[in-house]
Amino acid sequence: MPHRAPNPRRSALVAGLALLTVGCTPHQPARTSTTPEPEVSFTQIDTSAWQETGRRATSSAALASEGGRDRLTAATVGEPQAPHRLTVWNARPGVLAPSPTVLELVDGDVRSVAADGNPELTALAGTTWDDGQVRSYLVTSADRRDWTALPVPEEVDVARVAHVAVAGDETVVVAGNGVTGRHPAVSTLDVAADTWEHVALPGADDDARLTVTAVAARSDTVVVIAAAGPRGGLSGPVAFVSTDRGRSFDGPVEVAPAGGWVAGAVATADGFLASGSVLEDGVRRPRVWHSDDARTWQTEPVPMRLDGWTAFEGDDASFSAPVRQGDAVALAAQSSSVRGVMYQVRDGSGGWLDAPATDWQIAAVGVDVLAVPDTDGRTVLIAASKGRLEERWSRDGGYTWDQASLVDGYVPRAVAVLSESGDGADVTLDRNVLTIVPDVGWSRHGDISLARVTADGVVSGAWGPDVPPGTSAVDTASDGDGTDVAAMTTSMTDAGTTGFPLQVLRSTDGGEWTATTGADGGGFRMVTHLAHLDDEWVLTTQEAPDGDSATARTAAVWTSPDGAGWERSAQGLVADGARDSWISDVCRFDGDLVAVGTSWTDDGLEVASWWRRGTDGTWESGTLDEAGASFSACTADDQDGEDSLTVTGWLRGASTTWRTADLRAFDPVESLDVGSWRGGSVEVDDLRVAPGTVDTAEYTGPVLWVSADGEDWQQVPIPVGAEPSGSPSVAKLGEDWLVTVDMDYGVDAWVVSAS
């Protein structure tokens, strides 16, 4: 389908009529508001300059050829402003995939796909999104060429299917985690009888979580593996087992300790095999587990030494989900910091290759790869990265590779920063790309550009300073009197230099951008926030001596009276006992500068943190006395004539708002249902608008939260035409608001007005 720029459209939505139910905290009963319900209207603006053309794959799965059946690759493939369609590629053994087939029998915007099968029966399952409604689908085939869409009962529909397993030609098992991911359920279809069995697993609550990550089936035995643990703490994989084809389950039994993660599982000739990773001394290591009966699991050693060294030693790495071909199983090991993939094959007797095979020529770092064993003894790699999907194999042990591009893909732009600028708004657009410098290394960074939207909703051309290639982050701010400041973190500045130094530039009255003094440089100095508060510029960064990911990275604050000369006000800001930290927002409170953000322990647990600069320039710090919490934004308020601070963030998966009068006691004002989120609000003429998302049975998608008093909030769905890929953002735009939403193809935007 050819790319079309969006037609401007105006749709008035009444917040009261569009109200979606969201729960309050148990100690906060719902209040009846006497404030008139505000109304807002949307006018979509032309953002075609921020969008991409071409096809893009967003979810994929693969099955090996077996018993005369084709090797099968399935994916959700879409074009800009068109729904994603379920698409399959059939390949005979020994050849790479030919042209695709679109399965039009699945309606809606297909958002995910999972696959399993054998020579007798193959099943594809997942979810679709249609105007805020999330539904499940299931299609089957006896030959992987002719497909049938099966009607699913309501129990399957609301489970939001994410996993599927097939046993023989009679049993299909599907599992999902339901609305908000807190309602795990398993359903089993008896194909011959056309009957379903449904079992709800122990649900998650405010204190615990349970998330299904894998399903496998063989004969009458079904095993469901889930991540279980305290909310806000480390989870570990557990198994639920059925020996009556999913009619009932016992368990859970432990697969691995806390910190373990299972990416997938398959039935084998000698039992069940699961693969994923464990956390050891703060580093994630690939791991495989095996069980004869799915009740007692043992770590299975997998040879990972190659030419005298161990794959990904010292780097975070994990095994992908296993893929079975007959009695053989293949899986890939990947790292977020090493370019390339290692893969291993297990034969029918349970033996592994003496050493892993490798693909150092693969196109990206951290690419999502499935290793698929083929009947001719080779292993096909199905590689997905940033919308691209390809098949690869080597004919000579890894020196040269043949590949077939299934979907060319593209890297869409997304809104990194949205901020007010005079009567308009500044938009920082980020396209996350990979740069590889031979003999130096690689860098995943942003291809960043700056744009400006005028008060009447017109997207202007490029704005701001030149952003060097390899820039990782940019933030901009304006004082409203003609002075603009831009701070950016660059990387790999030339072929012989690595690092992440800071650069701060300044412009007055729309003139030339010139360098500032004081804050530039650093081995690792990542921009996290830039703001102008009253008569002071404030820049926050995350800093380390170098770019090594093993080095602790902590928050710092820089200040300037004019945006031209900068001084470091504080460094090494991190909660006691934590390792890393990040400042998300700054604000004024009782005349002092306050920063809020998050610290992380060695185990990756979050600690909501604050820092305050007193009138004498010294800093004090503190944390929220709750596990698994983070702060994201702060706003000073006047409550009954007394200064207070409103802070938004997360508490054990729930979007939460607190109020404090002294930064010691934080009183919960509101805690939204898990799955709902409300960001910091932007006020225009006494009406507050905040970006957000909701996940309910009635609607799942982006919303605006609207309030006339900051206490009672209504939700208005943002009129997107497909499922977004990211969260919305809001900034003041003259007397209106600019609202942007990251989509699969780029950015959509609206001017929102109070009606």
Side-chain angles (χ1 to χ4, degrees), residues 361-380:
Q361 301 177 27
I362 204 155
V365 176
V367 63
D368 185 14
V369 175
L370 290 174
V372 182
D374 206 18
T375 53
D376 63 354
R378 282 180 291 193
T379 300
V380 180

Side-chain angles (χ1 to χ4, degrees), residues 1 22 41 49 69 133 211 258 265 279 338 361 398 422 434 474 525 535 544 586 617 644 674 711 730 740 744:
M1 177 180 292
V22 171
S41 60
R69 302 304 181 200
Q133 298 292 306
T211 305
L279 194 62
V338 176
Q361 301 177 27
L434 176 78
V474 175
R525 197 168 291 170
D535 57 352
V586 294
S644 68
V674 171
E711 298 288 340
V730 174
T740 63
D744 181 56

Side-chain angles (χ1 to χ4, degrees), residues 88-153:
V88 297
W89 291 260
N90 293 81
R92 304 300 297 172
V95 299
L96 293 176
S99 300
T101 300
V102 178
L103 303 184
E104 298 285 0
L105 47 99
V106 180
D107 296 327
D109 185 18
V110 185
R111 56 186 268 173
S112 67
V113 60
D116 194 31
N118 53 52
E120 291 78 33
L121 181 65
T122 298
L124 304 177
T127 55
T128 64
W129 187 94
D130 187 7
D131 197 23
Q133 298 292 306
V134 179
R135 296 288 182 258
S136 300
Y137 70 87
L138 174 64
V139 298
T140 61
S141 174
D143 59 6
R144 300 189 180 178
R145 291 188 175 273
D146 294 323
W147 296 88
T148 301
L150 302 183
V152 297

Side-chain angles (χ1 to χ4, degrees), residues 459-473:
V459 176
S460 67
W463 166 85
D466 293 334
V467 180
T471 297
S472 298

Side-chain angles (χ1 to χ4, degrees), residues 41 61 74 105 123 149 180-181 226 234 297 330 337 444 589 634 644:
S41 60
L105 47 99
T180 72
L234 287 177
W297 294 83
S337 59
R444 187 176 294 286
F589 175 53
C634 60
S644 68

Side-chain angles (χ1 to χ4, degrees), residues 5 31 123 161 192 209 235 297 327 462 535 551 568 618 643 669:
R31 295 185 291 117
V161 169
R209 56 180 174 176
S235 62
W297 294 83
D327 293 333
D535 57 352
T551 305
R568 184 189 273 117
T618 60
D643 289 337
V669 176

